[in-house]
Amino acid sequence: MPLLARTILTPLHVDVRRGAVADLGRILADGRISAGGDVAVVVGHGVGARVADLIRPSLGAADIFTVSGGTLDTANELAAKLRARSYDAVVGIGGGTTLDTAKYAATRYGIPMVSVATSLANDGIGSPVASLVNDGMKGSYGVHIPIAVIVDLDFVEAGPSRYNRGGIGDVLSNLSALADWELARDVRGEPVDGLAASLARMGAEALLRHPGDMTDDGFVTVLAEGLIASGLAMAVSGSSRPCSGGCHEIMHAVDVLNPGTGSHGELAGMGALFCTFLRGDELRFRQMSACLARHALHRTHRDFGLSDEQFADVVGFAPRTRPDRYTIIEHLDLGPKEIRMRLADYVDAVQRS
């Protein structure tokens, strides 16, 4: 994956609370974001469009663009439209696909981007990465981190619970990604950025130990802050390394071999638990397994409807999704027979935990 853009290391404004969207007009009036009021608003076909209608009086003469598909072509088409006028800022409103499309298009022409998240499905709400489909395969593209991140808990609560719970898996996967990063340091001498690692670990540990659930504003706020901290960790390190290891290799491999199996966060959480098992970290395995189970997230490939054979193929394919990464999967370099043996042991361990 290419080095990420590092021009903007931290958002100028972060707001996680109920009623946050109502203040969007005031935020856009901030001279640091929009001096002249020329703003492009990017929405999807779902809740983002409804949010845009709600706040339209505060948007003034803003142009509204509707996008769908989450492809590189779509993002480039949006970028071409943004180039036709001198916009002060781009406001992306919606879920991960819409925000990633807006981030990529805004970065193409150096336009500040405001992220208004209506779900907490993954750490894309405030990260310097855009996940877009190109030639049938999802890839990660370095972009500028949003200049402001707004999460309105009212809209998150109204969204599909399964998508929001997926964000829990994405934040927890930081623990496995960090272990992979440390492994790469020990084996290959890869440098580890301490601040980036601390940011990624902070959100994951807080989520792991929080007793609440998605009905608790306190827990949802911790989840949102954990996702934003993940984005900051990637911006600080200039790489997705703090939040993406073998867990995300597995997630991307599932997307390639068995598209539509699960969401980004759901698969990342399961992949992280499997990689933690491979690593032999029994304490961390039990902690993560209990957390995923408490939040009704899938813990094995079978929960996603994948057979042992299908998931063995996924594990074998996973290193090809990130050729530059060294994780526990590359370290063990298991053959097909060994993978199947480990899978059987993994399923038993999950059932016992």
Side-chain angles (χ1 to χ4, degrees):
M1 176 178 171
L3 190 70
L4 304 184
R6 302 184 69 172
T7 304
I8 302 171
L9 290 183
T10 59
L12 293 176
H13 183 95
V14 175
D15 198 356
V16 181
R17 60 184 173 86
R18 292 187 180 275
V21 165
D23 290 334
L24 183 58
R26 177 183 58 80
I27 295 167
L28 294 178
D30 189 318
R32 295 172 297 173
I33 295 177
S34 176
D38 291 325
V39 176
V41 178
V42 180
V43 300
H45 288 286
V47 68
R50 297 198 296 274
V51 176
D53 287 339
L54 178 67
I55 62 177
R56 193 179 297 272
S58 67
L59 297 178
D63 293 331
I64 298 180
F65 300 96
T66 301
V67 297
S68 61
T71 67
L72 186 60
D73 287 341
T74 298
N76 281 322
E77 290 171 5
L78 174 62
K81 295 175 182 177
L82 297 179
R83 189 182 184 186
R85 179 179 167 188
S86 296
Y87 291 105
D88 292 326
V90 175
V91 180
I93 305 176
T97 299
T98 301
L99 297 181
D100 283 349
T101 303
K103 281 192 292 183
Y104 184 90
T107 298
R108 282 286 304 274
Y109 297 108
I111 308 173
M113 187 266 187
V114 177
S115 174
V116 182
T118 58
S119 71
L120 298 176
N122 57 64
D123 57 21
I125 64 175
S127 78
V129 178
S131 295
L132 299 167
V133 176
N134 184 31
D135 292 332
M137 184 171 179
K138 183 170 286 189
S140 297
Y141 300 87
V143 296
H144 287 307
I145 194 169
I147 200 169
V149 180
I150 301 169
V151 180
D152 193 316
L153 301 184
D154 290 320
F155 290 101
V156 170
E157 183 182 82
S161 173
R162 179 183 174 186
Y163 288 112
N164 291 322
R165 285 187 286 109
I168 299 170
D170 207 20
V171 174
L172 284 182
S173 73
N174 290 0
L175 299 172
S176 179
L178 291 170
D180 281 334
W181 202 8
E182 292 164 355
L183 175 65
R185 176 197 59 197
D186 296 342
V187 175
R188 301 201 308 183
E190 184 175 327
V192 171
D193 187 301
L195 176 58
S198 295
L199 285 167
R201 194 183 310 279
M202 172 185 64
E205 293 284 4
L207 199 66
L208 186 70
R209 290 168 169 75
H210 198 291
D213 57 27
M214 292 302 297
T215 65
D216 173 8
D217 278 7
F219 176 81
V220 179
T221 299
V222 168
L223 171 58
E225 291 172 345
L227 293 169
I228 294 169
S230 295
L232 294 179
M234 289 185 266
V236 167
S237 68
S239 164
S240 63
R241 203 42 157 132
C243 309
S244 175
C247 49
H248 280 62
E249 289 183 338
I250 287 175
M251 181 269 293
H252 287 300
V254 172
D255 280 345
V256 172
L257 299 180
N258 307 98
T261 296
S263 72
H264 175 115
E266 290 175 318
L267 291 169
M270 184 271 290
L273 188 62
F274 178 68
C275 288
T276 302
F277 172 80
L278 292 180
R279 208 172 285 114
D281 188 340
E282 295 183 6
L283 174 60
R284 185 63 84 187
F285 175 82
R286 291 196 299 271
Q287 291 174 334
M288 292 174 64
S289 181
C291 185
L292 292 173
R294 185 168 68 252
H295 295 290
L297 286 163
H298 295 334
R299 294 182 291 168
T300 75
H301 55 286
R302 294 177 183 176
D303 296 331
F304 287 98
L306 297 177
S307 68
D308 291 356
E309 291 73 19
Q310 286 175 311
F311 193 63
D313 290 341
V314 163
V315 177
F317 184 84
R320 295 170 57 184
T321 68
R322 289 291 182 274
D324 61 321
R325 289 284 155 91
Y326 189 81
T327 77
I328 189 63
I329 299 175
E330 287 83 0
H331 183 69
L332 294 177
D333 192 23
L334 301 173
K337 183 177 180 180
E338 294 172 301
I339 292 174
R340 286 177 172 80
M341 291 176 59
R342 294 294 185 97
L343 281 182
D345 293 339
Y346 171 68
V347 173
D348 289 341
V350 170
Q351 291 174 344
R352 291 195 306 268
S353 66

